[in-house]
Amino acid sequence: MSHRRVLHVLMVLVVALTGWVGGATGIASAQEEAPPAGRQLLFYNHAYGVLDRETADAIEHSAYLRDFADFQVRTTTGSGGETWTGRYLMGRETYLELFGVGDVPGQDGTLGAGGLGLSVERAGDLATVTARLRDQGVPNPVAFRQTRDFGDGVPVPWFDAVFTSGTYDAFGAWGMEYLPEYFADPRSKTEPASYPGDVGRERYLSDGYREHLMKDVTSIRLGITAGDLANTVPLLRAGGFTVRELPGGSVLALGGGTTVRLDPVAREQAGLRQVEMSLNRPVFTRHEERIGRSTLVVGPGDRAVWTFGAAQ
């Protein structure tokens, strides 16, 4: 189970309904390592990337990936009836979503487009994130509620989301909070709450990962435009990540078990670059799997590294 392709729907509806297209603050305040704004509220949930058709098709038909991870190819219907078909590698708390060029319409289906979903673990925390965004210089955070249709024409409230801006070049990041109605719906096949107010990632995802090698995404690196980077930093900081600017303007976000690195690049160079994953058990030999124009290296040890294009 999963979700995605929220970005384009949110942006189109937000601009149509509110007419607000203001940008967020820049990244100047992230030049020095900054302490989190209170306790960590947002955690890496998933990221997505649009890949070349050769690589996307190779991923979809890879026998190795079906053994390596809880791998799914699924079409999802969201708010307004919009659909998207993704290739998913599902972990214990985190996952990865991959598209090919043209798999989704318009701007979001172009080569190098991508996104980053960051979710809260406790009900009500997204409201705190939204308040923190204003403290980070985002006067009008963009809010949206997503629904999901399981194929029977009866949508269920899925999650609330917040963006820093109503515009983007090729990448967007959003904070999100799963809704009680979704967990209560038997079609969601989610787990019981582990504590009061549990809206966490582990509850949302199934335990299918246990039957495979992949456990979770521990690090992700993407190339994004300077404008998209400037819109993303306030959300990372509001969510409680420690944000550090590296030489060359790259941003490293630390905290919550998954490290996020964002490199400022020209639009034509944007895209998913590298994903590191933990394994459920160590492997004693190195395995290299070429999948389209990407390379997945598993082991030795308890980690795997998947490289897309050139990651310096």
Side-chain angles (χ1 to χ4, degrees), residues 261-273:
R261 175 166 173 165
L262 304 173
D263 300 319
V265 298
R267 170 61 187 93
E268 59 271 18
Q269 297 174 323
L272 183 62
R273 293 187 167 189

Side-chain angles (χ1 to χ4, degrees), residues 64-98:
Y64 182 81
L65 286 179
R66 284 168 167 77
D67 181 61
F68 171 73
D70 181 6
F71 180 83
Q72 306 170 17
V73 179
R74 186 182 64 255
T75 299
T76 304
T77 302
S79 298
E82 183 170 274
T83 63
W84 59 91
T85 300
R87 301 147 189 83
Y88 299 86
L89 281 76
M90 314 295 284
R92 179 179 182 271
E93 294 182 315
T94 62
Y95 65 97
L96 181 67
E97 182 179 27
L98 303 168

Side-chain angles (χ1 to χ4, degrees), residues 224-257:
I224 66 176
T225 67
D228 288 340
L229 181 58
N231 284 337
T232 302
V233 167
L235 181 65
L236 293 169
R237 299 188 68 180
F241 286 87
T242 296
V243 177
R244 181 183 305 158
E245 186 172 342
L246 304 177
S250 295
V251 165
L252 194 67
L254 307 169

Side-chain angles (χ1 to χ4, degrees), residues 87-294:
R87 301 147 189 83
Y88 299 86
L89 281 76
M90 314 295 284
R92 179 179 182 271
E93 294 182 315
T94 62
Y95 65 97
L96 181 67
E97 182 179 27
L98 303 168
F99 296 109
V101 172
D103 280 349
V104 291
Q107 180 179 358
D108 292 342
T110 56
L111 183 65
L116 176 66
L118 307 169
S119 63
V120 302
E121 297 283 287
R122 295 182 179 273
D125 277 355
L126 190 63
T128 305
V129 171
T130 302
R132 288 184 181 180
L133 281 174
R134 295 186 177 95
D135 295 337
Q136 292 294 325
V138 182
N140 299 297
V142 180
F144 180 80
R145 173 163 290 190
Q146 177 69 293
T147 65
R148 180 173 179 179
D149 186 332
F150 288 93
D152 53 10
V154 182
V156 60
W158 191 358
F159 60 88
D160 285 335
V162 64
F163 288 82
T164 64
S165 174
T167 59
Y168 62 103
D169 295 324
F171 173 89
W174 63 98
M176 54 185 289
E177 181 174 314
Y178 292 119
L179 295 169
E181 297 93 328
Y182 186 84
F183 287 113
D185 194 309
R187 298 173 299 172
S188 70
K189 299 180 182 178
T190 52
E191 301 173 5
S194 297
Y195 49 83
D198 179 8
V199 293
R201 300 163 297 165
E202 197 278 331
R203 182 185 180 193
Y204 174 78
L205 294 175
S206 79
D207 289 334
Y209 75 95
R210 293 178 177 175
E211 302 172 6
H212 304 272
L213 264 180
M214 175 187 160
K215 183 178 182 180
D216 266 317
V217 175
T218 57
S219 177
I220 189 155
R221 183 176 180 181
L222 302 101
I224 66 176
T225 67
D228 288 340
L229 181 58
N231 284 337
T232 302
V233 167
L235 181 65
L236 293 169
R237 299 188 68 180
F241 286 87
T242 296
V243 177
R244 181 183 305 158
E245 186 172 342
L246 304 177
S250 295
V251 165
L252 194 67
L254 307 169
T258 302
T259 299
V260 177
R261 175 166 173 165
L262 304 173
D263 300 319
V265 298
R267 170 61 187 93
E268 59 271 18
Q269 297 174 323
L272 183 62
R273 293 187 167 189
Q274 193 170 79
V275 181
E276 296 187 15
M277 295 159 279
S278 60
L279 305 180
N280 282 309
R281 59 185 182 277
V283 295
F284 300 103
T285 59
R286 180 184 187 274
H287 175 82
E288 181 174 315
E289 187 77 9
R290 185 72 176 174
I291 309 173
R293 298 178 182 177
S294 70

